[in-house]
């Protein structure tokens, strides 16, 4: 069965510092990986997905199949980046997502 | 386009009762998925419906069921409620996007409390 692990429950950084959220997955096939974000009092929304290889709000993530990781990075954190971040894995046809436990990011001024 | 809407937003029930939650997807979206979010278990997939057929199912007991109507609106039902069913239930809709991958758009959720 597939599994997604986000080892950090809380990440606290200062504004302007780099931030990296770790995500590891276990799946023997070819997965699709996503990062979702939930800002305070807002609904869960897609931040980025590996297949599009784009940068959103300065965040990037690279799929490393050898290390089965999909870490999320941003070189200079902003206060508005404070939110809950979820890594998710899609393995089958359809839309079944397996989520990690989430990482809360707090960017201090 | 209007986003995914879920009704009701809050619900309080007692053990043994049953409950029905509703989800209206974004116009034109034919896939609706349901997730349960709890502090202990996080976000867990319940099931997905596509064109009125269940396409995927998670590891939940048979007390959890769902359906989808011809207009893509979906309902999920939980029978014989247990205290552990207290959770935020999220609905997400999607359509095929670029590169044939589906971006899921989430609703605000229905907060169910079982007393």
């Amino acid at each position: 069965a597939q599994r997604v692990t986000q080892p950090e429950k809380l990440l606290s950084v200062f504004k302007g510092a780099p931030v990296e959220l770790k995500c590891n997955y276990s799946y023997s096939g070819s997965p699709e990986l996503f990062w979702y974000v939930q800002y305070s009092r807002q609904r869960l929304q897609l931040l980025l997905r590996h297949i599009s290889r784009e940068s959103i709000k300065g965040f990037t993530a690279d799929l490393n199949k050898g290390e089965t990781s999909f870490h999320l990075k941003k070189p200079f954190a902003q206060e508005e980046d404070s939110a809950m971040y979820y890594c998710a894995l899609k393995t089958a046809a359809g839309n079944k997502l397996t989520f990690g436990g989430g990482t809360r990011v707090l960017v201090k001024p | 386009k209007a986003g995914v809407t879920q009704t009701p937003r809050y619900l309080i029930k007692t053990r043994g009762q049953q409950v029905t939650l509703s989800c209206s997807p974004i116009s034109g979206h034919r896939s609706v998925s349901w997730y349960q979010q709890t502090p202990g278990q996080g976000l867990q997939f319940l099931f997905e419906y596509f064109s009125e057929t269940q396409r995927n199912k998670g590891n939940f007991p048979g007390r959890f069921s769902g359906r989808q109507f011809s207009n893509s609106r979906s309902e999920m039902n939980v029978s014989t409620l247990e205290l552990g069913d207290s959770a935020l239930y999220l609905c997400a809709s999607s359509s095929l996007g670029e590169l044939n991958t589906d971006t899921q758009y989430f609703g605000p959720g229905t907060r169910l409390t079982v007393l």
Side-chain angles (χ1 to χ4, degrees), chain B residues 11-75:
Chain B
L11 210 45
I12 299 176
K13 292 286 187 179
T14 56
R15 277 180 298 175
Q17 287 187 309
Q18 76 165 23
V19 67
T20 299
L21 312 182
S22 181
C23 172
S24 293
I26 292 172
S27 177
H29 286 191
R30 294 164 64 191
S31 166
V32 174
S33 300
W34 289 89
Y35 294 84
Q36 182 195 64
Q37 186 175 26
T38 60
Q41 299 299 317
L43 279 155
Q44 292 186 288
F45 173 80
L46 279 155
F47 28 65
E48 180 206 2
Y49 286 87
F50 181 81
S51 294
E52 302 179 64
T53 301
Q54 190 179 84
R55 183 159 72 170
N56 279 297
K57 189 176 187 309
N59 296 323
F60 278 82
R63 299 186 296 108
F64 292 81
S65 63
R67 59 177 174 169
Q68 187 179 34
F69 302 95
S70 58
N71 61 358
S72 293
R73 191 177 70 84
S74 177
E75 288 181 348

Side-chain angles (χ1 to χ4, degrees), chain A residues 91-104:
Chain A
T91 59
N95 288 304
K96 176 181 177 179
L97 289 175
T98 299
F99 284 91
T103 297
R104 181 169 298 284

Side-chain angles (χ1 to χ4, degrees), chain A residues 32 34 36 38 43-46 49 51-52 86 90 92-101, chain B residues 3-4 31 33 35 37 43 45 48 55-57 90 94 98-99 101-104 106-108:
Chain A
E32 289 184 55
F34 304 81
Y36 279 81
Q38 189 167 30
R43 57 186 71 187
L44 198 60
Q45 58 186 287
L46 178 68
R49 54 191 178 185
I51 201 165
S52 57
Y86 294 94
K90 188 161 89 81
N95 288 304
K96 176 181 177 179
L97 289 175
T98 299
F99 284 91
Chain B
V4 177
S31 166
S33 300
Y35 294 84
Q37 186 175 26
L43 279 155
F45 173 80
E48 180 206 2
R55 183 159 72 170
N56 279 297
K57 189 176 187 309
L90 295 175
S94 67
E98 294 176 3
L99 307 174
T101 58
D102 300 359
T103 296
Q104 294 196 50
F106 283 81

Side-chain angles (χ1 to χ4, degrees), chain A residues 2-73:
Chain A
Q2 59 270 22
R3 188 179 183 90
V4 177
T5 303
Q6 294 179 248
E8 305 120 340
K9 287 193 185 302
L10 174 65
L11 216 48
S12 182
V13 299
F14 285 102
K15 177 182 172 182
V19 62
E20 180 179 22
L21 288 73
K22 291 185 169 45
C23 172
N24 290 92
Y25 67 91
S26 62
Y27 179 61
S28 56
S30 293
E32 289 184 55
L33 274 298
F34 304 81
W35 277 100
Y36 279 81
V37 61
Q38 189 167 30
Y39 301 102
S40 179
R41 299 189 190 86
Q42 294 187 27
R43 57 186 71 187
L44 198 60
Q45 58 186 287
L46 178 68
L47 181 61
L48 54 79
R49 54 191 178 185
H50 89 272
I51 201 165
S52 57
R53 301 185 64 80
E54 56 190 347
S55 171
I56 304 292
K57 299 184 179 183
F59 284 97
T60 59
D62 289 317
L63 177 61
N64 186 323
K65 291 187 177 180
E67 296 183 1
T68 59
S69 68
F70 187 56
H71 302 329
L72 182 68
K73 302 175 186 178

